[in-house]
Amino acid sequence: MFQITLRHSLLIHVLALAWWITPCLAQPENPVYVNDSPQAWLLFQQARDQRKDNVGESARLYQKLLDEYGLKLIPTSTLDDTHFASVRSRVLRELTDYPELLKRYRLIQTTAAQRMLEARQLEHTAQSYSLTEPGLEAILQLGQRHLESGAFQLAKHWLDEAIKHADLDERRAIHAWHMIGMATWYLQQPKEFEEILERLGSYQDGSTLHDHLVWLRREGPGPVQQQGRTSLDPSEAYDLGELISEDIWSVPLEHSLMNRRYPINPENPTQGRDVRKDKSEKAILNTATPTIAGEVVYINEGHTIHALDRFTGRSIWATPFTDQNDDRLKEINTENTMDLNIVSVQDGALVTLTGHLLPRERSNNGHVLCLDAASGEKRWHKDVSFIDEADEFERLFPHGQPLIAENSVYILARKTRKQQLTATYVIALDLHDGSLRWIRHISTSGAIRGTARPFSTIAYDRGSLFVATTLGSIARLEAHDGEIRWLNRYPVPLNPGASSLHKPWEFD
């Protein structure tokens, strides 16, 4: 019977990171590189300088920043080089804080925004021209699109921006609040729903859409919108007072990493028994952890994914993806394996990583794999080592916990260069076909020797991704496009320590 239960949170990981970086304070400085742009920072300051005497030039420079550097990072202050925000968020705040500047900006840029809207470039219009009237129309259309596809958090992201817009008239306000009300209802946020219902009722022409929300409430709550279930999620609380401590069922994982590294000799079963027992108790090679979703237990052995009946242990299906006899693992010290091959399940889809995580690569050229959770049939797989034509993304390898949320899959990836520089990235894939939605660099730092660097962690909450890296940064990203809303940079040690001191479950 599987008895391991892991409960992690972003806070725990952050505290662990704080413990890990403490010794670095007495070490030589180790630069941490993030996705900032000195050129954007210079343009931003020039735009500020022109704000008083040349409003038109200031507006032009701010638009140039939105068009060319919107997702890059710049410091939040001239006195602070550790806290960053996206160019887009800083520019929009500058424009909205100065009415005269905003008025001139809208006068200059509305025509270009209208052309882009007519070309159906909704995302670009909403991102680069959001403060114009065509930008508002693009935002509303994106909100409606996400609402109709069931991505309610994404819908709220755009609609929350719409209701603050200067061009929002009563007609569009009624429709915006109605869509927000529907999103909050399906997200099961009753308090916020009641507030929206009251606000919608205050509009003279909003009675029809107000009545629709009242009808929704009368019909009862819709299906619960859940994030993908993994072994790292808290389980339900049970009364264990009368629990009998005995196995209900047990299924051997004959081709697990432990059994491949220390196989049992059929002619002499006791041979090596003490070594296997010692390694098992130390959990050094325990890299298969169960995810329970409904009545099914899912397990990834690295090469084969299993689905077992929760109550009997009976095999429902087993899908092999790579050869279990991984020749490269025989040449590598497999006691350096560094994650738990976590399985994430949601809405009939199963996502996991194949192979085993090693200090600087994933064995068998590990892929992101998506299966049908009911049948085990493969839907798609993605090799992230060449996910984009840019040389920057060559030789990426995935690690940690895959996250499923709002029709997307979020993956952490890493790359190590010969110069001992190690970089962390976040990748967003489409849940339905595995296509790349976006990829974002988080941070890079170095080490003085080639020991393994501890890995990073990721969490999803209400439309945002939170990433805690061991490479000098903690950040919040917008899940829909990867915009880094804020990033804090901190020092890291040049000597990260020996990886042999860590267990796989300490990295996830």
Side-chain angles (χ1 to χ4, degrees):
M1 180 179 70
F2 300 106
Q3 298 177 345
I4 298 176
T5 302
L6 299 179
R7 297 181 179 91
H8 283 42
S9 69
L10 182 64
L11 177 60
I12 293 175
H13 289 298
V14 171
L15 291 176
L17 277 170
W19 170 83
W20 181 77
I21 67 173
T22 300
C24 78
L25 298 179
Q27 296 193 21
E29 183 178 355
N30 181 12
V32 175
Y33 306 99
V34 298
N35 193 30
D36 62 330
S37 170
Q39 179 64 25
W41 183 225
L42 179 62
L43 283 174
F44 183 82
Q45 294 179 85
Q46 289 176 355
R48 271 188 160 181
D49 292 341
Q50 296 289 338
R51 194 169 58 205
K52 183 177 180 181
D53 299 324
N54 193 342
V55 179
E57 177 63 8
S58 179
R60 187 191 70 82
L61 290 174
Y62 280 130
Q63 186 60 49
K64 181 179 177 66
L65 284 164
L66 290 172
D67 287 336
E68 300 180 14
Y69 303 96
L71 297 181
K72 290 287 188 177
L73 299 178
I74 55 176
T76 58
S77 167
T78 55
L79 303 176
D80 184 2
D81 64 352
T82 62
H83 190 194
F84 294 82
S86 69
V87 168
R88 181 177 186 268
S89 63
R90 294 221 60 193
V91 168
L92 294 185
R93 177 171 294 182
E94 288 284 310
L95 290 171
T96 54
D97 281 350
Y98 295 91
E100 185 62 31
L101 173 62
L102 178 59
K103 182 179 179 180
R104 178 65 65 87
Y105 169 83
R106 282 157 51 84
L107 181 65
I108 295 172
Q109 301 300 336
T110 295
T111 301
Q114 184 63 38
R115 287 197 299 266
M116 191 167 292
L117 177 65
E118 291 171 355
R120 304 302 298 164
Q121 298 180 34
L122 295 183
E123 289 277 0
H124 194 175
T125 308
Q127 288 285 359
S128 296
Y129 296 92
S130 60
L131 297 180
T132 66
E133 196 276 337
L136 170 61
E137 186 62 31
I139 288 170
L140 289 169
Q141 291 187 37
L142 286 172
Q144 180 175 338
R145 176 188 295 178
H146 289 304
L147 181 69
E148 292 171 348
S149 67
F152 302 121
Q153 289 288 3
L154 291 183
K156 282 195 65 182
H157 165 83
W158 288 113
L159 294 168
D160 285 344
E161 194 167 324
I163 59 176
K164 304 171 187 174
H165 203 282
D167 291 311
L168 189 70
D169 54 25
E170 181 171 321
R171 179 184 61 84
R172 287 188 285 200
I174 290 171
H175 286 280
W177 283 114
H178 175 245
M179 289 190 288
I180 295 174
M182 292 179 66
T184 55
W185 181 251
Y186 288 117
L187 288 169
Q188 298 195 3
Q189 300 170 346
K191 183 178 179 180
E192 188 174 348
F193 177 81
E194 294 299 328
E195 294 173 354
I196 293 168
L197 196 62
E198 182 178 349
R199 180 181 291 271
L200 191 57
S202 66
Y203 290 100
Q204 184 176 355
D205 297 327
S207 58
T208 301
L209 296 181
H210 175 272
D211 291 345
H212 176 254
L213 294 185
V214 172
W215 175 83
L216 269 183
R217 182 176 59 183
R218 188 168 57 247
E219 288 295 301
V224 177
Q225 300 292 312
Q226 290 185 334
Q227 183 183 328
R229 171 67 62 185
T230 75
S231 56
L232 300 186
D233 294 318
S235 61
E236 297 179 20
Y238 295 99
D239 182 6
L240 304 180
E242 299 181 0
L243 182 66
I244 300 174
S245 179
E246 63 178 39
D247 289 352
I248 299 175
W249 54 262
S250 178
V251 174
L253 298 177
E254 298 178 355
H255 302 291
S256 66
L257 187 60
M258 173 71 77
N259 288 337
R260 281 181 283 157
R261 182 62 188 257
Y262 300 102
I264 297 176
N265 185 350
E267 298 179 359
N268 186 5
T270 62
Q271 181 181 2
R273 181 174 58 189
D274 292 341
V275 174
R276 289 195 300 273
K277 183 174 183 294
D278 176 68
K279 299 299 182 184
S280 178
E281 289 177 349
K282 291 180 178 179
I284 292 175
L285 295 177
N286 290 0
T287 58
T289 182
T291 290
I292 301 174
E295 299 180 358
V296 184
V297 178
Y298 299 96
I299 304 171
N300 176 5
E301 286 189 277
H303 50 81
T304 303
I305 294 85
H306 300 269
L308 308 174
D309 186 276
R310 175 182 177 181
F311 302 104
T312 66
R314 176 183 61 84
S315 176
I316 300 174
W317 53 257
T319 299
F321 183 74
T322 58
D323 184 4
Q324 65 191 33
N325 299 312
D326 188 343
D327 292 333
R328 297 179 69 190
L329 280 176
K330 297 176 183 178
E331 303 171 2
I332 302 172
N333 178 13
T334 52
E335 294 193 6
N336 276 341
T337 51
M338 292 180 152
D339 70 1
L340 296 172
N341 290 342
I342 294 170
V343 175
S344 185
V345 181
Q346 182 185 358
D347 294 337
L350 178 155
V351 179
T352 190
L353 308 180
T354 65
H356 295 284
L357 179 64
L358 302 169
R360 293 173 195 83
E361 61 183 325
R362 198 168 192 92
S363 69
N364 254 340
N365 191 28
H367 289 60
V368 183
L369 175 65
C370 181
L371 304 177
D372 184 279
S375 66
E377 294 183 2
K378 186 177 74 174
R379 294 185 177 180
W380 53 264
H381 69 275
K382 191 76 172 182
D383 179 358
V384 305
S385 60
F386 296 96
I387 198 166
D388 190 276
E389 294 180 358
D391 293 340
E392 176 188 355
F393 307 123
E394 187 177 347
R395 300 184 64 82
L396 283 176
F397 60 92
H399 67 84
Q401 171 192 6
L403 291 178
I404 302 176
E406 303 243 310
N407 302 320
S408 293
V409 178
Y410 302 101
I411 302 291
L412 284 168
R414 179 168 283 193
K415 175 179 179 176
T416 301
R417 297 178 174 87
K418 293 181 181 179
Q419 302 89 339
Q420 305 301 334
L421 287 172
T422 303
T424 287
Y425 296 80
V426 179
I427 300 173
L429 305 175
D430 187 280
L431 177 61
H432 302 294
D433 60 14
S435 59
L436 177 65
R437 288 193 165 176
W438 51 261
I439 181 169
R440 198 71 61 231
H441 172 249
I442 304 301
S443 62
T444 299
S445 65
I448 59 175
R449 58 190 179 90
T451 55
R453 306 291 300 274
F455 283 81
S456 308
T457 188
I458 186 171
Y460 175 89
D461 182 58
R462 290 171 291 184
S464 293
L465 296 169
F466 295 87
V467 181
T469 82
T470 54
L471 302 178
S473 63
I474 299 174
R476 174 195 167 193
L477 293 76
E478 292 290 357
H480 75 283
D481 64 358
E483 178 184 349
I484 298 177
R485 299 306 301 268
W486 54 258
L487 182 148
N488 284 345
R489 181 166 61 182
Y490 58 79
V492 292
L494 283 167
N495 184 350
S499 64
S500 59
L501 300 177
H502 300 283
K503 311 296 190 300
W505 48 267
E506 294 178 301
F507 286 96
D508 280 293

